[in-house]
Amino acid sequence: MRKNLFFILAGVFFVILAGALLVNMQAKDNITYHMGVSAFKRGDFKNAFEAFSALAEKGDVRAMGAVGLMYVRGLGVRTDEAVGAAWLARAADEGDAEAMHSLGEMYENGQGVPRSRVVALALYVNGERLGNEMARVFALRLEPEMPAEDVARARRMAERFAESEAVSGIIDRNLKKRSDAP
């Protein structure tokens, strides 16, 4: 009986310790993110990129979107629209509505990805579903300019994205494999 009590208490202690470590790690990541934001606002793009990229590698969705846009715009890192698109797709996979909108613009304009108004509209529609007002505006602007069959294809694609969160799949199919892509 005492042995069982010991193991139960040891298990409870382990769970509490693991929880405390997780909270500490999340707090550190939040501080790092805000340090990146502060550096970005100061125009210190190199340090902002370093902070965001470290977090993006760990799966921080906010940081993935920031890294993607920094690659696209060449802020703190060499301009590489294809790598930026791949980071934005990872953020979009995690439900980042702003990343969906930004990636939609890239597809609409053929910026770092093959031009596709169908993919662009699908991304705008999903960004709108997640509450991004600019994605809604872009979808409302683009849809009337497209043939009905392309709109239908985009809407079906948007449904597949929403169901499977497979936005990055289009990047994998449309871009050659790169060693520095996420």
Side-chain angles (χ1 to χ4, degrees):
M1 181 76 168
R2 286 186 107 163
K3 196 174 196 179
N4 288 341
L5 181 60
F6 171 78
F7 286 118
I8 291 171
L9 290 175
V12 169
F13 175 75
F14 177 74
V15 168
I16 291 171
L17 180 62
L21 290 174
L22 181 62
V23 168
N24 188 35
M25 288 172 40
Q26 290 171 338
K28 284 181 182 178
D29 288 350
N30 202 30
I31 290 169
T32 301
Y33 179 79
H34 288 290
M35 287 173 56
V37 169
S38 179
F40 190 92
K41 286 179 179 178
R42 288 192 316 271
D44 183 359
F45 301 122
K46 183 177 186 274
N47 281 326
F49 180 81
E50 288 174 7
F52 292 142
S53 62
L55 293 173
E57 291 291 341
K58 293 166 68 174
D60 186 298
V61 177
R62 303 168 302 177
M64 287 178 198
V67 167
L69 289 174
M70 292 181 84
Y71 267 114
V72 169
R73 296 182 182 142
L75 299 172
V77 66
R78 75 188 184 308
T79 300
D80 191 327
E81 293 173 341
V83 172
W87 276 110
L88 287 169
R90 283 184 64 187
D93 281 348
E94 298 296 326
D96 185 324
E98 287 76 21
M100 288 180 196
H101 171 249
S102 296
L103 193 57
E105 283 190 80
M106 293 179 75
Y107 269 95
E108 185 176 356
N109 298 310
Q111 181 184 6
V113 294
R115 185 169 191 255
S116 173
R117 292 162 45 130
V118 171
V119 174
L121 181 57
L123 289 163
Y124 294 151
V125 166
N126 276 344
E128 176 185 0
R129 281 186 188 153
L130 294 171
N132 184 293
E133 187 61 28
M134 285 306 297
R136 178 179 171 278
V137 170
F138 277 62
L140 289 172
R141 175 193 47 78
L142 182 58
E143 191 169 333
E145 300 173 2
M146 296 172 60
E149 61 271 9
D150 285 351
V151 171
R153 282 180 44 223
R155 297 243 172 230
R156 286 191 304 272
M157 182 180 285
E159 287 298 322
R160 287 196 313 269
F161 289 165
E163 291 170 5
S164 67
E165 300 179 4
V167 175
S168 63
I170 60 170
I171 298 292
D172 292 340
R173 288 193 300 275
N174 289 329
L175 299 176
K176 63 182 181 179
K177 297 291 184 188
R178 298 172 56 123
S179 62
D180 55 350

